[in-house]
Amino acid sequence: MTDPVGKIPSELDQLPDRDTEETAEWATSLDAVTKAAGPHRAAYLMRRTLQHAEGAGLALPKLLETDYVNTIPTSAEPSVTEFGGDEEMERKITAWNRWNAAAMVTRGSKHGVGGHIATFASAAWLYETGFNHFFKGKEADGSGDQLYIQGHASPGIYARAFLDGRLNEAHLDNFRQEAGGNGLPSYPHPRRLPWLWEFPTVSMGLGPLSAIYQARFNRYLTNRSIKDVSASHVWAFLGDGEMDEPESTAALALAAREGLDNLTFVINCNLQRLDGPVRANFKIVQELEAQFRGAGWNVVKSLWGNAWDELFALDTTGALVRRLREVPDAQVQTYQTRDAAYIRQDFFGKDPALVAMAQLLSDDKILECFHLSRGGHEPRKVYAAYKAALEFKGAPTVILAQTVKGFTLGEGFASKNANHQMKKLTTDEFKNMRDLLELPISDAQFVDGQVPYGHPGADSPEVRYLQERRAALGGPAPARRTHPLAPLPAPADKAFAAFDKGSGSQSMATTMAFVRLMKDLIRDKETGKRWVPIVPDEARTFGMESLFPSLGIYSPKGQTYEPVDRDQLMYYKEAVNGQILNEGITEAGSMADFIAASTAYSTHGEAMIPFYIFYSMFGWQRTADQMWQLGDQLGRGFLVGATAGRTTLTGEGLQHADGHSPVIAATNPAALTYDPAFAYEVAVIVKEGLRRMYGEAAEGEDQNVFYYLTVYNEPMPQPAKPSGIDEGIVKGLYRFNTAESAGLDLPANASRIQLLSSGTAIHWALEAQKLLAAEWGVGADVWSATSWTELRRDALEADAALLRGEEQVPYVRKALEGIESPVLAVSDYMRQVPDQIAQWVEQDWSSLGADGFGLSDTRDAARRHFGVDAQSIVVAALAQLARRGEVSASAVKEARERYGL
């Protein structure tokens, strides 16, 4: 064996081999065992040897870890020709961007708006190398690469946009000052700056999760022949502290399992989080390497700069590598701030071999290595890591790049525990930074102590170089396409009209009505392929198993097995071009799917129509942060909270009983929340949602919304659709019937009450309507409140219009206009849901709701417990009328006793 280390560059190449002949003998022995006894025996002996070494206390990296050195040795880095760029020009560009990022935050600090300086200072070369050489823009294919920018690094991205002419000084001076309409949001917020930002990332953990599902959705689009986006690469820039968030690592196995080599994580390992070290007593890089390798990712470590090459060449005993492996991160941070004498004593003084090595090193060399030389700060090393990531096939890649937080910002910032909260530099610190970066900014430009912005000029070599590099890569980045797409053709009315006649004697849950509607819409020749059904391993719960054989469940491997139910009509079918995304037991993953699909209209110029159906209790309560992310990212689609309500899910109990999801949904301005009672209402709402989000939106109408529908698993007779009610369904309220239209006998001058109800509660209201007439001589009109939230928003807008001097009457007030009888509202949710509109109802108002914790029982028992069943509605109605003197107080007492309340 002539080449014991093989042809592939290895991290071991940069470490001296003091006995190459011995190494060759070990390799030859291993080859001989493999040939004679087979690879399994050879692997067994290797594992036994490693076990023995560990048991004997021999310091070896674990199987999932490599030494604390670079994966790619200096000798394997690209040559000047291969690099293909002007390194000096890129240094100047990066210097300007470092300066302006720090200046922007410092100038804004006088307004008290905050900002972060240290993160971009550490990560500058990670971004700049990508922008100069790797990140593809959208001008070539409309998609380009997808960049998930670390939120706290946003000042550096703004600084680059300023340099290339996309922003001006006025924009930078309005950083974090948006109220005037010409400001810059604090972090990547597409809703606030929709021409620049594509992905909101600063809610930490959601960026990495979304990036994985975006890469996966790219494959979905390609495999389903919607659009070939195989050239797109997803880059996610993350902090090492951010990896503590469970969402950050929740989908690592999915990315490896599906071989997402179109995905790269770049983790800025500056060893610090917000308050201090990430792993003070441990090593975050080694921990992450083991975690990602264990999940099946390719790992590239870029830890040390070129200055360390001399030290590694002197390490003939391995003492340096051992010491680097054992020094905890917090001590590495301390070395960054201490002098050469301290480092000689504390780092090198622990081992005689290191003491001897240190004697060969000057103080300047030691300080260069420990203060400055990091893999993440050297563009050639970053370039090599990115190149390796793109060339690796069959798995995603994570790049662990070691940096110094606050790099180039001076001694007051670099590696200080508090630097995340430090918002400004002093004038002297800026001047020191200027000298370090070699920027042509004079002292005279600091007017009244304010730091100036720096720009070499619109026609300068730096700006021309930057723009030429971006042109070669497909245009500016990051960038979001905001031009409108052609509206999708509306599906035929037949699918929606199928529910107009009702279900006759057959009972149907609204969940089943929604699924039946989806089946018909997905058959549409024009738009059917654009539907993206998403479900978190509960398809059978929601009656969606009938979609399995017809649509297929998406899997990049197809179906490599014979399903156990292959002989059944509704068998479990997986396919490469499958349409259903069945995610397993992960609401977070399903929401990440939904976000990727709901924004494909901007990311890839392809309008997709996702609907994600889930237990309503496990949606907004568990993943509401992602739903805010969805609103920020301007996503469109249908969220469907199934098995909704506090009392409809029999026997399941507290953690399954949803009495509040509409309350949480109401807090999200992008969510249009509906609680339909009947199948025809579901059809009208979905039809309207398709028009508004994907069709011809009305003037001034925001298309960047999403719909939240609550549907129920309780089979009930579905009535025929009354005429002329579509507007009421969409706006949130219409009168379903009156006591007279229901055919109820009433005495002359009967007292009357209005019963407003939503969702499944309308059936209790209809039963109460009959009881009130038959047993108490009271007439009740029943209203369907399809959306308490939309009624409230309309009323709030009317209030705002009045303050502007415009006359506007809330829809709920117009709908109830002329009615003198009191109103009693009821839903299967806490009273806060209907009470949203109480202040705009001129009639006497009262409400019932399922307040409190849920419980396990039958529907009837649960409704009696919460006081929302038909009999409880009757007693509440009589009590309300008694307070007005329209029925006797004794009637209320009699009703309570009769119904056992």
Side-chain angles (χ1 to χ4, degrees):
M1 183 173 180
T2 57
D3 185 8
V5 296
K7 299 298 184 182
I8 300 173
S10 164
E11 63 268 18
L12 296 177
D13 292 355
Q14 59 199 309
L15 306 178
D17 186 348
R18 66 181 180 185
D19 192 338
T20 57
E21 185 176 347
E22 182 183 38
T23 303
E25 288 175 356
W26 276 77
T28 300
S29 299
L30 184 62
D31 289 345
V33 172
T34 303
K35 184 176 181 180
H40 296 293
R41 178 60 180 171
Y44 176 82
L45 290 174
M46 285 297 297
R47 291 180 65 85
R48 276 294 190 186
T49 301
L50 289 171
Q51 276 187 351
H52 178 78
E54 185 174 357
L58 191 61
L60 283 174
K62 296 179 182 178
L63 289 175
L64 293 177
E65 297 177 15
T66 60
D67 284 318
Y68 202 68
V69 296
N70 296 341
T71 302
I72 304 172
T74 300
S75 61
E77 290 174 8
S79 65
V80 174
T81 303
E82 293 170 327
F83 185 73
D86 185 331
E87 292 183 75
E88 177 58 22
M89 189 64 71
E90 292 178 18
R91 185 197 65 78
K92 292 179 180 179
I93 290 170
T94 304
W96 285 117
N97 292 338
R98 286 182 181 279
W99 177 271
N100 288 321
M104 178 194 327
V105 176
T106 298
R107 287 167 68 115
S109 66
K110 66 181 181 181
H111 302 292
V113 294
H116 300 286
I117 301 177
T119 294
F120 179 73
S122 65
W125 278 115
L126 302 180
Y127 291 107
E128 293 297 326
T129 303
F131 285 128
N132 289 329
H133 298 279
F134 292 96
F135 304 157
K136 295 187 291 292
K138 290 181 175 293
E139 291 180 359
D141 62 0
S143 294
D145 287 351
Q146 287 78 61
L147 309 180
Y148 287 77
I149 305 295
Q150 191 179 0
H152 295 135
S154 61
I157 309 304
Y158 290 140
R160 193 170 221 274
F162 169 65
L163 201 64
D164 73 10
R166 292 196 290 166
L167 294 175
N168 57 39
E169 287 193 12
H171 290 120
L172 300 192
D173 267 344
N174 283 327
F175 175 57
R176 292 192 169 201
Q177 299 173 73
E178 297 180 79
N182 194 35
L184 299 179
S186 54
Y187 303 124
H189 290 304
R191 186 169 285 275
R192 290 302 178 204
L193 201 62
W195 61 267
L196 180 72
W197 297 120
E198 278 197 284
F199 308 108
T201 55
V202 81
S203 188
M204 287 190 283
L206 299 190
L209 179 69
S210 293
I212 289 173
Y213 281 90
Q214 181 66 57
R216 197 278 197 97
F217 191 74
N218 289 356
R219 291 280 173 84
Y220 174 90
L221 288 176
T222 300
N223 288 338
R224 293 203 55 237
S225 300
I226 302 294
K227 181 181 181 180
D228 184 357
V229 295
S230 55
S232 291
H233 199 85
V234 178
W235 302 83
F237 289 83
L238 318 168
D240 47 1
E242 182 177 5
M243 301 310 293
D244 286 346
E245 289 284 5
E247 294 89 350
S248 295
T249 56
L252 298 187
L254 166 72
R257 184 168 65 244
E258 299 202 0
L260 298 181
D261 50 25
N262 61 337
L263 170 68
T264 297
F265 276 15
V266 181
I267 303 183
N268 178 20
C269 297
N270 57 32
L271 313 185
Q272 290 182 247
R273 50 188 175 200
L274 277 60
D275 287 335
V278 178
R279 293 290 183 273
N281 296 297
F282 307 94
K283 301 191 79 62
I284 185 60
V285 169
Q286 300 300 87
E287 178 182 319
L288 291 175
E289 179 184 27
Q291 190 171 15
F292 278 87
R293 284 194 192 279
W297 287 53
N298 175 46
V299 178
V300 175
K301 295 196 292 191
S302 185
L303 308 180
W304 308 111
N306 287 334
W308 282 83
D309 289 348
E310 179 183 339
L311 277 66
F312 289 128
L314 294 172
D315 187 27
T316 58
T317 65
L320 176 62
V321 173
R322 288 195 301 272
R323 181 65 178 142
L324 288 174
R325 191 165 60 237
E326 69 188 20
V327 174
D329 283 353
Q331 192 63 24
V332 174
Q333 181 183 348
T334 298
Y335 293 148
Q336 172 68 33
T337 65
R338 304 300 289 270
D339 60 20
Y342 177 89
I343 298 171
R344 284 183 186 277
Q345 178 181 351
D346 191 85
F347 181 85
F348 292 98
K350 305 295 185 181
D351 187 297
L354 293 180
V355 171
M357 179 189 293
Q359 290 173 352
L360 302 175
L361 304 174
S362 68
D363 285 356
D364 286 345
K365 182 65 177 182
I366 289 174
L367 292 178
E368 179 186 14
C369 289
F370 284 84
H371 286 191
L372 303 175
S373 188
R374 299 290 188 275
H377 295 322
E378 297 191 8
R380 193 77 68 88
K381 294 194 179 297
V382 175
Y383 184 100
Y386 287 3
K387 183 173 182 288
L390 292 179
E391 291 176 350
F392 191 89
K393 300 303 177 186
T397 293
V398 59
I399 296 169
L400 304 174
Q402 186 163 272
T403 65
V404 175
K405 193 167 186 178
F407 189 67
T408 74
L409 297 181
E411 294 180 358
F413 264 84
S415 284
K416 299 296 185 182
N417 279 337
N419 62 19
H420 189 79
Q421 304 300 330
M422 297 162 67
K423 312 301 182 186
K424 59 183 178 180
L425 277 71
T426 66
T427 298
D428 287 341
E429 287 172 328
F430 265 112
K431 290 179 179 178
N432 289 335
M433 181 182 177
R434 171 200 62 190
D435 296 340
L436 175 66
L437 298 176
E438 299 178 352
L439 290 172
I441 297 173
S442 68
D443 288 354
Q445 291 177 259
F446 289 80
V447 180
D448 296 328
Q450 178 161 272
V451 57
Y453 294 120
H455 199 292
D459 195 40
S460 64
E462 293 94 327
V463 173
R464 288 201 305 271
Y465 179 88
L466 183 155
Q467 293 174 341
E468 288 167 2
R469 295 302 306 164
R470 289 312 314 159
L473 288 165
R480 181 181 181 275
R481 288 291 179 96
T482 56
H483 62 268
L485 298 174
L488 292 181
D493 281 340
K494 181 180 179 181
F496 304 107
F499 302 99
D500 288 357
K501 294 181 180 180
S503 62
S505 60
Q506 179 185 4
S507 292
M508 178 193 298
T510 50
T511 298
M512 292 301 97
F514 178 82
V515 172
R516 185 177 299 180
L517 175 62
M518 289 303 105
K519 289 174 66 176
D520 290 342
L521 292 175
I522 290 171
R523 293 193 187 106
D524 184 85
K525 293 182 179 179
E526 294 288 336
T527 59
K529 68 178 182 179
R530 298 191 176 276
W531 284 92
V532 184
I534 303 168
V535 61
D537 198 40
E538 289 282 2
R540 298 182 192 278
T541 300
F542 308 134
M544 291 175 61
E545 66 268 29
S546 61
L547 299 178
F548 289 169
S550 58
L551 301 183
I553 299 166
Y554 172 74
S555 170
K557 288 187 175 295
Q559 195 153 36
T560 61
Y561 61 92
E562 183 177 352
V564 67
D565 54 358
R566 182 64 181 85
D567 58 344
Q568 298 179 16
L569 181 63
M570 294 183 287
Y571 71 97
Y572 196 82
K573 177 186 176 183
E574 296 187 80
V576 173
N577 63 345
Q579 193 163 354
I580 302 169
L581 292 174
N582 190 321
E583 289 306 349
I585 305 174
T586 167
E587 286 83 7
S590 299
M591 268 306 303
D593 264 337
F594 187 90
I595 291 169
S598 71
T599 53
Y601 74 94
S602 60
T603 307
H604 295 298
E606 294 288 344
M608 304 298 288
I609 314 171
F611 73 87
Y612 164 35
I613 187 167
F614 52 89
Y615 269 103
S616 66
M617 184 69 161
F618 302 148
W620 285 92
Q621 175 163 303
R622 180 170 288 185
T623 56
D625 195 11
Q626 288 177 283
M627 291 162 180
W628 277 96
Q629 178 190 9
L630 167 65
D632 191 347
Q633 202 166 316
L634 289 77
R636 305 170 184 175
F638 297 94
L639 296 176
V640 184
T643 58
R646 180 144 281 168
T647 69
T648 61
L649 194 56
T650 55
E652 288 284 4
L654 187 153
Q655 287 185 292
H656 284 67
D658 171 24
H660 56 279
S661 71
V663 177
I664 306 175
T667 65
N668 191 309
L672 277 59
T673 302
Y674 286 87
D675 187 26
F678 303 123
Y680 66 77
E681 292 179 357
V682 172
V684 169
I685 293 165
V686 170
K687 182 179 181 180
E688 168 64 10
L690 290 173
R691 179 204 66 79
R692 176 166 178 174
M693 294 185 291
Y694 299 96
E696 295 283 359
E699 184 178 354
E701 200 170 38
D702 185 5
Q703 285 189 282
N704 299 316
V705 295
F706 59 93
Y707 282 66
Y708 175 54
L709 280 69
T710 47
V711 293
Y712 298 83
N713 70 332
E714 186 173 9
M716 301 294 289
Q718 297 295 326
K721 178 184 175 182
S723 61
I725 61 169
D726 284 24
E727 180 186 18
I729 292 173
V730 172
K731 288 186 175 294
L733 182 68
Y734 69 94
R735 181 154 44 193
F736 175 71
N737 72 8
T738 64
E740 290 77 11
S741 66
L744 302 177
D745 293 327
L746 293 172
N749 300 319
S751 297
R752 187 168 291 268
I753 193 167
Q754 308 299 311
L755 301 179
L756 275 58
S757 53
S758 68
T760 195
I762 201 169
H763 299 287
W764 324 329
L766 289 169
E767 185 180 350
Q769 181 188 46
K770 294 176 183 177
L771 291 174
L772 283 166
E775 300 184 11
W776 307 99
V778 171
D781 300 340
V782 176
W783 298 69
S784 179
T786 54
S787 180
W788 307 101
T789 302
E790 287 307 297
L791 291 173
R792 175 179 175 81
R793 288 176 177 169
D794 170 80
L796 289 171
E797 172 54 32
D799 285 356
L802 287 174
L803 292 176
R804 296 192 301 265
E806 304 168 13
E807 189 66 30
Q808 192 169 318
V809 180
Y811 176 81
V812 64
R813 188 168 293 167
K814 287 191 289 186
L816 297 171
E817 189 175 8
I819 293 174
E820 297 181 358
S821 52
V823 169
L824 173 61
V826 61
S827 76
D828 202 16
Y829 299 96
M830 57 197 302
R831 289 177 60 184
Q832 187 175 339
V833 173
D835 283 349
Q836 291 181 87
I837 65 170
Q839 72 186 81
W840 293 281
V841 174
E842 295 178 315
Q843 294 78 7
D844 288 346
W845 173 271
S846 184
S847 64
L848 297 174
D851 286 77
F853 287 113
L855 74 167
S856 304
D857 215 310
T858 64
R859 292 186 180 116
D860 289 342
R863 286 162 188 168
R864 175 56 59 92
H865 169 81
F866 287 112
V868 293
D869 60 351
Q871 292 78 13
S872 298
I873 293 174
V874 169
V875 172
L878 293 174
Q880 195 169 0
L881 291 169
R883 288 194 297 270
R884 295 164 57 92
E886 296 183 27
V887 300
S888 66
S890 61
V892 181
K893 182 176 183 294
E894 182 184 348
R896 282 200 303 268
E897 294 172 350
R898 181 182 302 182
Y899 300 136
L901 297 177

